[in-house]
Amino acid sequence: MEVVKQLGIAFGADWDPFGGGNRKTTTTWQPPSSGKALTPSEHKQVVARATTKISELQTQLIDLLDVRSRSFGELKEFDKALEDASVMITTSPFTSKGYIRAGKVHILQDRYDEAICTYQKGLSMIPKTDHPGHKRLKAVMENAENTLDKRAAEHAKRGDFEGGLSIARELVYAAPNSIKGYLRAGEIYCMQGKSNLAVEIYEQAMEALSSSIITSISTKATTEDPWYNLLANVRAKALAQAEAQIDFLGILPFEILAYILPLLSTAELVECGSVCHLWRERVIECTEAWHDVTLKCADDIILVAPVTGHIQKLWLNLLEDWELQEFLDKMVIHGNIRHLDSFAIESGVELDLNFCMDVILQSQSGHSLTELYISIDTLETVPLLGHLLLECPNLTHLTYEAPDFDRIVNTKPLPKECGITHLRLNTFLDALIQRTELEPILQACPELRCLIVDRCAPSALSAINQVCPNVYYFHYGSHDEDIFDIGQLTPWDWPHIPKTTSKAIAGSRHISISAEDSKINRRDVISLLNKNSATVEDLHLNIRLDENRFIYTPVWEPLNVYGGEQLRKFECTLGCRTSVLASIFYRSPALETIVIQDMHYVTDAIFSSLIDLPYLKCLRLFDCTGLSEDGLTTFFDKMATTTGSHQGKRISNMTSSSSIKSISNNKTVVLEELEFADMPGMTDHSLNALLDIKSLHTLSVTRCNSVSGIGLNEFMDKLREKQGDNQVEELNFMQMDAVTDLTLCTLGAIEGLKRVKLSLLNGVTDRGLVSLACDFEKYEHINGTSTIALSRS
């Protein structure tokens, strides 16, 4: 109030404290509180004091708003932070603090383009002199531009050219008078081989730069500007690159293109067709490239439309509702897709049942369809299984995913027999396939060789065991999706089944059972295994325990009499004692690969049975906390001292069956691959004991953080010293705290090492990776997992 009064004294000569406000014509003013008039010099002093005071208060206000805006930004209350910054700019539009604060808030939101635009506005308001605010704004704007430029470069280095170009365009839009965005976009175009587009972007930059120079200085200054000369140079290089490029797609004969283009995916073919009109014509004319088509978006449909007559395999993969409806209506019902061998439709769109059936029937001519994949989660949309089998008599591979099998099986009668050899059935989480629904389907498929049943009721397992004695590959799925993931099969990916396998021999070769222990009929599982003990070669028992139950389930104890003379691979997550596993190993002497995971109750006693396996080639132990350092070390020592003659002696002592006699005539296979994950027993001592196994080729270690950096470096030094005797060719480390740059330097010096894979290593820097990469010939960066793979011949 005192400041306002002083201003009134200075400027309100007719100020009336009672609001009278009658202006006087005299040059002096009589304050109401005193009868003394101010002289001109006193008048100037009052104005100066008041102005100084207001300036100080304004500075304090801006400082307080700046602090509060920064606090709001740190709390991620960006609207409030920007509001305070806006008040700062309004209060003092010719200072830099408000613009800088607003830009920093935008950067916290990862909106660098908005920050650059804010800095540009501030630079236009502040005089282009040696004003410190102008310099600060220019510096922060350059930092923001450099950040966007680096991001675009990083995307391009990873092969994400579209992402890099998108960021470069943001930079051009935000800072049109800067050439950084233009240069980066042109460089990315050159990396893609699109030199003509690079020339265009460089010319746009030269035009924008010329306009700004002409406005500010003169026309002749254009050729003297260093940025303009830089753009002219890179434009000349891009022109030279464009002239040197070979349009291989335009000059190669169709006979060669017919071998190259089919190797590309549909999305890659669409990208090639979007380069130019000539490429589009050549891609469309190469009919061999369009035999296998996967459609995922409307852009793909536009290019695919002219070549629908050549499609033999078609996968409509979760298109938008309108996209799928339009394609089915125009391209299938009223189009020329008539000779499909394989057809897959995967969507949640609510199609009319009759329309969906028309699509399937009219997409084949003369019953050409042999593979069919249907996955639609709307019950009213799914065609009835009985109708499908009758109208498509040549089907051999069928994947059928639907919400309710009761209506599907009972509404339309199934044929007595069909030619299905590969069958996958799956319902959704709200329902399970019951035995009464599954058994009629299996009875209608007497030629079945591969069966995958997901989310199936426990009682259905006995029906499979009884009805399908000749199934080569069998997977019994889990009730819950989070129990076990066998990997999502694409429509055309099925397990390989040798054609030479005799159907007359009853019994499965591959059995995979995935379930929670409390949600499976254990007696049926044991019965199934015993029934196929003479034929099974690959067995996966991924049966997980309920954490609230006891440490093992006694009902699995009858497995101690199970054994497979043909069993080569055994993978186990099972609630049983160590003695049960040991008994299985003892009765399966042909085992070559063993995977034991999440079995915390397995003890060191298991190693005695492992040592007795003469052909054990690969051993993987995951999260087996009951295995100690001494147990692992003793096992490694015994494996190192075991000879082929001793192994042959163990074979003769175990059994005299004809199958084992045939094995003993083959060359003995010794331990070649070891993999450990989450194993506290893997320490410095046990790790170094591995080096005595001279047959070891591959070692993988994941999250075994009982191994120290000193122990790991000692292991590397010994491996380098023993590389003449040791045959280790591949090392894989994942999430290992002990792996550092020093470890990588030692790795590079091991000449016998052929392959290295590193994943998620916190102790490794870019310098260490560069040092290691210099010692290898081939480099591969696997996106999405922070994995780096190196190899050399």
Side-chain angles (χ1 to χ4, degrees), residues 230-251:
L230 176 60
L231 286 169
N233 291 334
V234 293
R235 176 185 176 276
K237 291 180 181 179
L239 281 172
Q241 180 178 338
E243 294 174 358
Q245 286 179 344
I246 300 176
D247 184 8
F248 71 93
L249 207 62
I251 65 175

Side-chain angles (χ1 to χ4, degrees), residues 193-221:
K194 300 178 180 179
S195 303
N196 294 329
L197 295 178
V199 172
E200 291 180 10
I201 199 72
Y202 292 146
E203 291 176 348
Q204 292 177 14
M206 294 170 71
E207 183 179 354
L209 191 61
S210 299
S211 300
S212 63
I213 292 175
I214 291 171
T215 303
S216 59
I217 308 177
S218 65
T219 305
K220 70 175 183 178

Side-chain angles (χ1 to χ4, degrees), residues 3 48-62:
V3 175
R49 286 197 301 271
T51 304
T52 302
K53 190 65 176 178
I54 289 177
S55 178
E56 292 175 356
L57 290 175
Q58 187 182 50
T59 302
Q60 293 176 11
L61 175 63
I62 291 176

Side-chain angles (χ1 to χ4, degrees), residues 248-311:
F248 71 93
L249 207 62
I251 65 175
L252 284 178
F254 275 109
E255 290 79 3
I256 298 179
L257 287 179
Y259 286 100
I260 297 175
L261 294 181
L263 300 176
L264 304 180
S265 66
T266 303
E268 291 169 336
L269 288 171
V270 171
E271 186 175 358
C272 290
S274 62
V275 173
C276 61
H277 291 292
L278 176 61
W279 278 40
R280 181 185 181 88
E281 293 176 0
R282 298 281 284 179
V283 169
I284 291 177
E285 289 175 5
C286 184
T287 59
E288 292 83 356
W290 301 102
H291 290 168
D292 189 350
V293 171
T294 300
L295 297 182
K296 295 186 177 182
C297 66
D299 294 337
D300 298 348
I301 294 175
I302 295 173
L303 185 64
V304 170
V307 295
T308 51
H310 307 294
I311 297 177

Side-chain angles (χ1 to χ4, degrees), residues 332 337-340 343 358-365 368:
V332 180
I337 299 181
R338 291 290 185 271
H339 305 286
L340 281 183
F343 179 57
D358 288 342
V359 169
I360 296 172
L361 297 181
Q362 295 189 39
S363 61
Q364 58 173 334
S365 177
S368 62

Side-chain angles (χ1 to χ4, degrees), residues 326-377:
E326 181 179 0
F327 180 80
L328 293 177
D329 190 20
K330 292 184 178 180
M331 308 302 174
V332 180
I333 299 298
H334 302 294
N336 58 350
I337 299 181
R338 291 290 185 271
H339 305 286
L340 281 183
D341 295 329
S342 305
F343 179 57
I345 179 171
E346 183 176 5
S347 178
V349 61
E350 295 186 7
L351 297 174
D352 179 75
L353 178 59
N354 295 326
F355 177 80
C356 189
M357 197 66 207
D358 288 342
V359 169
I360 296 172
L361 297 181
Q362 295 189 39
S363 61
Q364 58 173 334
S365 177
H367 304 298
S368 62
L369 208 60
T370 59
E371 287 188 83
L372 181 59
Y373 179 102
I374 296 178
S375 178
I376 304 179
D377 58 9

